[in-house]
């Protein structure tokens, strides 16, 4: 019996490299702001502390996953948050993108070392825009490589248009389609910026990666 139904299946998470309790992450975030603001001559302890109430606390989020191993106070050695006199905001966007590109290609390698390469791949992210993309770079020298579509800059609802695109490709062209999400929100904190919105964002979002078909 023929059917027009399309199903999502074969979910494969790839966990980020690090995980810590929420309380520890929030404490480090405050220290990063304090360090940057002192270097910029803009540190106001009372003002900074007043924004702590906007954090999403451990009562609501027990812990979060993240990719950069910078959650300590050895600022000079950090890959992203090297907060020092020469870089009070940490590394610039080009170096953050380079980190994203390298780690995203590792994720594709982990997925497709074990899983069959599809006819078409939809890469979803709102935290790393590169051309060529990590997906394109990963498959560039492979014998088996899919067509690639980028579903970028669509925020928290990005899975919905990605699924619609996949459904159209499955039903219209009878293709096997994978959707891969690679999100690294932790790469994009600006230690100089404080405020209610910033504190919510910095305490709510985490990193994560998922492939499904």
């Amino acid at each position: 019996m023929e059917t027009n139904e399309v199903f999502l299946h074969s979910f494969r998470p790839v966990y980020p490299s690090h995980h810590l309790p929420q309380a520890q992450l929030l404490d480090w975030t405050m220290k990063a702001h304090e360090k940057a603001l002192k270097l910029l001559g803009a540190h106001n302890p009372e003002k900074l502390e007043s924004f702590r109430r906007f954090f999403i606390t451990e009562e609501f989020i027990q812990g979060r996953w993240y990719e950069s191993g910078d959650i300590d106070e050895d600022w000079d050695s950090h890959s992203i948050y090297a907060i020092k006199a020469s870089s009070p905001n940490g590394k610039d966007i080009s170096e953050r993108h380079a980190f994203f590109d390298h780690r995203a290609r590792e994720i594709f390698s982990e997925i497709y070392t074990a899983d069959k390469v599809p006819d078409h791949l939809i890469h979803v992210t709102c935290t790393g825009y590169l051309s060529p993309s990590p997906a394109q770079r990963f498959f560039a020298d492979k014998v088996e490589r899919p067509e690639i579509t980028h579903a970028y800059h669509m925020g928290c609802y990005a899975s919905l248009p990605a699924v619609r695109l996949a459904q159209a490709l499955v039903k219209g062209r009878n293709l096997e389609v994978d959707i891969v999400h690679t999100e690294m929100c932790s790469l994009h904190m600006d230690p100089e910026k404080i405020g209610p919105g910033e504190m919510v964002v910095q305490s709510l979002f985490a990193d994560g990666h998922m492939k499904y078909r």
Side-chain angles (χ1 to χ4, degrees), residues 3-7 167 170-171:
T3 178
N4 287 323
E5 293 179 319
V6 177
F7 296 93
Q167 181 185 41
V170 171
K171 295 177 72 171

Side-chain angles (χ1 to χ4, degrees), residues 49-104:
E49 186 62 31
S50 73
F51 288 118
R52 185 185 287 272
R53 70 185 187 277
F54 296 105
F55 276 151
I56 311 300
T57 66
E58 59 270 24
E59 179 184 357
F60 302 98
I61 297 175
Q62 291 184 343
R64 285 181 290 155
W65 293 89
Y66 59 97
E67 289 292 3
S68 171
D70 287 354
I71 311 301
D72 58 43
E73 294 180 63
D74 185 11
W75 306 104
D76 288 347
S77 69
H78 288 173
S79 58
I80 300 299
Y81 296 105
I83 303 172
K84 49 191 177 181
S86 59
S87 56
N89 300 102
K91 297 295 181 71
D92 64 25
I93 192 63
S94 63
E95 292 180 87
R96 298 181 192 221
H97 273 159
F99 185 105
F100 179 94
D101 176 61
H102 176 76
R103 181 63 183 131

Side-chain angles (χ1 to χ4, degrees), residues 50-51 53-55 193-203:
S50 73
F51 288 118
R53 70 185 187 277
F54 296 105
F55 276 151
K193 292 184 178 179
I194 59 173
E198 295 293 331
M199 296 321 208
V200 170
V201 167
Q202 292 164 16
S203 61

Side-chain angles (χ1 to χ4, degrees), residues 160-185:
L160 301 180
V163 167
R164 293 191 190 104
L165 285 168
Q167 181 185 41
L169 289 164
V170 171
K171 295 177 72 171
R173 296 177 57 194
N174 194 31
L175 300 180
E176 284 191 339
V177 182
D178 280 1
I179 300 173
V180 178
H181 296 256
T182 58
E183 296 294 0
M184 303 183 210
C185 301

